Amino acid sequence: MEISELKDILHKEQCSCVIYNHGNITLCHERGVKDLLHLLESNPEILADSIIADKVVGKGAAALMISGKVKALYADVISDPAYSLLATAPVQVLYNSRVSNIINRAGTGICPVEDLCKDCKTAADCLPLIKDFINKQNNKNTTTT
């Protein structure tokens, strides 16, 4: 399957990410890096040697893709830190727009995961920070008052 076909699926299905691997397509619908982290931890074979089309790729998503051994990526929007990190790995990268940083959902600053990973030199450096962030988010969402 070609990246252009995945790009079409990404927009047609209105998902956040499309992963193609070994004849199978996986659609992701969560915002941020949750789906990528979940796949890396529970089904890493889905990411290994895959081709991905994603709407927004920041440094955290790039770190997860590198850790998952993704082969190729198309991003509607990619940040400079993500692009630089991906350049250190054997990942073919195509994108529509490259920006200095991914902005948070409120539009008030840098995406929290992008900000967390800003000083990390490698994908491996980013992983514990991302896991901790997602675990805290999940705990916050399940806590009742």
Side-chain angles (χ1 to χ4, degrees), residues 106-117:
T108 58
I110 295 175
C111 161
V113 175
E114 180 108 328
D115 194 45
L116 268 179
C117 298

Side-chain angles (χ1 to χ4, degrees), residues 28-48:
C28 300
H29 295 279
E30 292 280 344
R31 294 177 77 170
V33 297
K34 283 184 182 179
D35 283 327
L36 288 173
L37 179 60
H38 176 72
L39 288 171
L40 182 64
E41 293 181 332
S42 62
N43 297 93
E45 67 280 358
I46 291 175
L47 295 175

Side-chain angles (χ1 to χ4, degrees), residues 11-127:
H11 297 118
K12 181 181 173 196
E13 297 296 327
Q14 297 182 344
C15 52
S16 58
C17 178
V18 179
I19 303 165
Y20 176 78
N21 197 350
H22 304 297
N24 297 310
I25 294 176
T26 302
L27 302 178
C28 300
H29 295 279
E30 292 280 344
R31 294 177 77 170
V33 297
K34 283 184 182 179
D35 283 327
L36 288 173
L37 179 60
H38 176 72
L39 288 171
L40 182 64
E41 293 181 332
S42 62
N43 297 93
E45 67 280 358
I46 291 175
L47 295 175
D49 295 320
S50 67
I51 302 170
I52 294 182
D54 200 320
K55 287 190 176 170
V56 179
V57 177
K59 191 171 182 179
L64 294 168
M65 291 177 195
I66 291 167
S67 299
K69 298 178 177 44
V70 169
K71 178 173 62 175
L73 163 69
Y74 163 80
D76 279 343
V77 177
I78 192 167
S79 71
D80 288 336
Y83 186 83
S84 296
L85 188 63
L86 286 160
T88 69
V91 180
Q92 174 192 356
V93 179
L94 301 170
Y95 60 88
N96 183 53
S97 178
R98 190 165 151 188
V99 296
S100 58
N101 285 290
I102 301 304
I103 302 301
N104 64 24
R105 292 177 194 158
T108 58
I110 295 175
C111 161
V113 175
E114 180 108 328
D115 194 45
L116 268 179
C117 298
K118 70 180 178 228
D119 295 327
C120 296
K121 302 290 185 222
T122 67
D125 293 341
C126 296
L127 287 182

Side-chain angles (χ1 to χ4, degrees), residues 1-8 51 53 72-74 92 94:
M1 181 167 281
E2 299 291 322
I3 285 184
S4 62
E5 294 172 277
L6 291 180
K7 180 180 163 185
D8 291 342
I51 302 170
L73 163 69
Y74 163 80
Q92 174 192 356
L94 301 170

